[in-house]
Amino acid sequence: MRTNEISFRIRYSETDQMGVVYHGNYAQYLELARVEWLRSLGISYKSMEEGGIMLPVISLSIKYLKPALYDDLITVKVILTKKPAVRIEFDYEILNEAGDLLATANTVLVFMDMKRKRPTKCPQILLDKLKY
């Protein structure tokens, strides 16, 4: 499974006085989508960390097209762009309930050995789940 979607409602605390989602919250939405993508494969991020691997973000870009508003039901679609190696890259689409594209985004993360504090290869368990 190389794509996954998660839907949720925008909370009041995520918006400004105009009821528009504050731009900085989008990074959290992308993280939520990535963690759930991993979980959909039967792997939790927590278990990866317990196994000594963390995934820091090394690149993030977001293109805002339309505002997300308070109480909107939004869907974040996450797409794995290519076979992970030392890095893993995702594209995203954020849509509202009407299907309007609100934002597109891209993140690059690196698999990091927590003990050595050095980049490392993608865990084989993840490659096996992706059928690479």
Side-chain angles (χ1 to χ4, degrees):
M1 178 182 293
R2 300 204 175 108
T3 67
N4 195 49
E5 294 181 0
I6 184 166
S7 297
F8 53 90
R9 287 210 180 269
I10 300 298
R11 297 170 294 191
Y12 185 77
S13 64
E14 298 167 334
T15 65
D16 61 19
Q17 287 184 323
M18 297 177 292
V20 174
V21 171
Y22 173 69
H23 73 277
N25 287 320
Y26 284 80
Q28 293 178 42
Y29 301 160
L30 304 179
E31 178 186 11
L32 181 61
R34 280 193 311 275
V35 169
E36 291 305 316
W37 172 85
L38 198 57
R39 189 181 311 278
S40 75
L41 294 171
I43 303 169
S44 74
Y45 185 72
K46 182 179 179 180
S47 69
M48 284 186 60
E49 284 193 336
E50 289 169 347
I53 302 292
M54 63 180 168
L55 275 169
V57 174
I58 60 170
S59 173
L60 164 66
S61 65
I62 303 172
K63 183 174 181 182
Y64 303 97
L65 305 169
K66 291 184 176 184
L69 306 172
Y70 168 65
D71 203 42
D72 277 356
L73 179 65
I74 66 167
T75 298
V76 182
K77 180 178 181 182
V78 58
I79 306 124
L80 179 68
T81 63
K82 58 189 163 202
K83 179 181 177 180
V86 173
R87 297 177 182 206
I88 187 167
E89 183 173 350
F90 297 99
D91 286 335
Y92 307 82
E93 296 175 351
I94 301 176
L95 301 103
N96 64 16
E97 201 167 4
D100 298 325
L101 185 61
L102 305 179
T104 59
N106 175 273
T107 58
V108 178
L109 299 89
V110 66
F111 293 98
M112 183 75 67
D113 181 308
M114 293 170 69
K115 288 181 185 173
R116 296 183 315 130
K117 299 198 182 342
R118 304 281 300 161
T120 190
K121 292 181 181 179
C122 176
Q124 189 61 46
I125 189 170
L126 179 54
L127 294 174
D128 291 345
K129 297 281 186 175
L130 295 170
K131 310 279 191 270
Y132 282 113

